[in-house]
Amino acid sequence: MNRIKEVLEEKGIKQTWLAEKLGKSYNMVNGYVKNRQQPRLEVLNEIADILNVDIKDLIVSNKVK
């Protein structure tokens, strides 16, 4: 799972803006945001660069605490 939705909300950024910056369709980005599909690592890194966050900020850890 990813935290793209949370980071977009924290920064006040719309999915349409991110889709435009990535050169991907809104539907593709919406799939990432709603965790219906996961972006490839290269795309996740590009999203992190665009949003100016560490890639780790976009990932939900699945470690048991």
Side-chain angles (χ1 to χ4, degrees):
M1 292 195 33
N2 68 63
R3 294 189 62 250
I4 296 171
K5 179 178 182 176
E6 291 85 350
V7 174
L8 287 175
E9 288 174 355
E10 288 167 10
K11 294 186 168 276
I13 296 173
K14 302 280 184 199
Q15 292 178 44
T16 50
W17 180 87
L18 180 58
E20 186 178 307
K21 291 289 182 187
L22 280 172
K24 300 207 174 285
S25 71
Y26 171 82
N27 287 337
M28 178 75 74
V29 171
N30 187 259
Y32 299 157
V33 168
K34 294 189 182 242
N35 279 295
R36 288 191 307 262
Q37 62 190 57
Q38 296 304 314
R40 293 187 335 267
L41 189 54
E42 298 85 10
V43 174
L44 194 63
N45 192 51
E46 190 176 350
I47 292 170
D49 287 346
I50 290 168
L51 297 179
N52 198 29
V53 296
D54 191 294
I55 193 169
K56 290 184 270 183
D57 294 335
L58 298 177
I59 300 171
V60 175
S61 174
N62 60 358
K63 286 185 179 180
V64 177
K65 294 182 179 171

